[in-house]
Amino acid sequence: KEDVKRVKTFWLETTTNRSSSNSSSSSSSSNNNNGNMTERYAENLACRTLSLAERMVSSTEQNTSENQDEVAVRINEISKAITCTPREAVDACHVNPDALSTPSSAFVSRLSKLKTAAPGANCCSMFLSAPKLFMGDTGDEWVSVVGRNAKLLREKFPNVDVDAVVEHDPELLVLSGLEEAVEELLSLWTAEAFALSDVDNDFFAEELSVALRACAPNGGALPEMFS
């Protein structure tokens, strides 16, 4: 199909340009890095790009080559802004198409604020695991909530690696009733016990996340907009 061939060529050429300018690094793992894109990978990426472009047109519009190319260019911009692979960027945009209309400058600003809130966390990974939180129109608001609740967790669990918890489950930080969940959990288990568990258990971040969700008033359910 001509559309696939055209968009595939775009991705292959974009990869070559990135590689030659030494700007193809990614903050998250991938089997194919931006500087070594295979033909098959590029074709798969082109198909994902075209599928997203199809979703973005209304019932009264045509999915033109111009629209498709604009989506491809925007995905490439997003991948550079949040330092991920194009495939990771297009997958995130499938989850939250509003990311396509969010300025790259907003992504950079949000990443910076998340890094301030959780210096030891992989903030790119957080974007990719929770694109509905961080990559749409309301991302600034949710970044502020995450920062505020990360501070809460540090105050209540002073010896726990809160950055690891935030990175593992950023959506935990926007749960309504999180403060109540923290108090409930601390009534069952002391802060000192948490500190010891954090040292001895490589999976402690995951377990703490599950425990806090279980103690939340709404059973750990996300706000309706994320369901």
Side-chain angles (χ1 to χ4, degrees):
K1 190 176 179 180
E2 287 303 312
D3 289 341
V4 173
K5 182 178 179 180
R6 188 188 70 258
V7 178
K8 174 184 174 182
T9 299
F10 166 82
W11 284 121
L12 289 170
E13 291 178 348
T14 299
T15 299
T16 301
N17 292 337
R18 281 195 181 192
S19 180
S20 63
S21 62
N22 296 319
S23 60
S24 60
S25 62
S26 171
S27 294
S28 54
S29 61
S30 174
N31 291 331
N32 299 86
N33 62 45
N34 287 335
N36 189 32
M37 186 181 290
T38 64
E39 292 274 339
R40 184 173 180 181
Y41 180 82
E43 183 170 344
N44 180 276
L45 180 56
C47 291
R48 290 287 286 166
T49 302
L50 291 169
S51 173
L52 181 60
E54 181 69 30
R55 290 181 60 190
M56 298 307 295
V57 298
S58 68
S59 58
T60 60
E61 295 177 322
Q62 285 189 329
N63 186 19
T64 65
S65 60
E66 288 79 9
N67 290 338
Q68 296 163 356
D69 293 346
E70 286 177 5
V71 169
V73 168
R74 185 67 193 117
I75 291 168
N76 186 47
E77 292 171 347
I78 291 171
S79 73
K80 290 189 288 185
I82 66 175
T83 62
C84 70
T85 66
R87 177 55 194 260
E88 290 168 331
V90 74
D91 286 349
C93 289
H94 270 280
V95 175
N96 187 2
D98 288 346
L100 291 172
S101 58
T102 302
S104 294
S105 58
F107 293 143
V108 174
S109 174
R110 293 169 192 176
L111 280 171
S112 177
K113 291 176 182 177
L114 284 176
K115 200 65 179 175
T116 299
N122 183 333
C123 296
C124 172
S125 176
M126 292 166 62
F127 263 61
L128 297 174
S129 65
K132 287 188 177 180
L133 274 185
F134 303 126
M135 296 182 69
D137 295 340
T138 58
D140 290 331
E141 173 187 346
W142 294 117
V143 166
S144 296
V145 173
V146 168
R148 185 166 61 249
N149 283 334
K151 182 178 179 181
L152 167 68
L153 293 183
R154 291 186 203 286
E155 292 172 351
K156 298 297 184 178
F157 305 108
N159 298 310
V160 167
D161 184 358
V162 170
D163 290 350
V165 179
V166 174
E167 178 180 337
H168 168 70
D169 188 4
E171 292 175 339
L172 171 71
L173 280 291
V174 305
L175 293 182
S176 59
L178 179 60
E179 188 167 359
E180 291 90 334
V182 168
E183 296 300 333
E184 174 69 16
L185 192 56
L186 286 175
S187 72
L188 302 173
W189 204 9
T190 65
E192 290 76 13
F194 278 108
L196 292 174
S197 297
D198 194 16
V199 171
D200 298 335
N201 185 353
D202 291 338
F203 301 98
F204 184 72
E206 293 91 328
E207 294 176 0
L208 180 57
S209 169
V210 170
L212 285 170
R213 284 179 177 272
C215 290
N218 59 356
L222 289 171
E224 185 176 350
M225 67 184 69
F226 301 116
S227 61

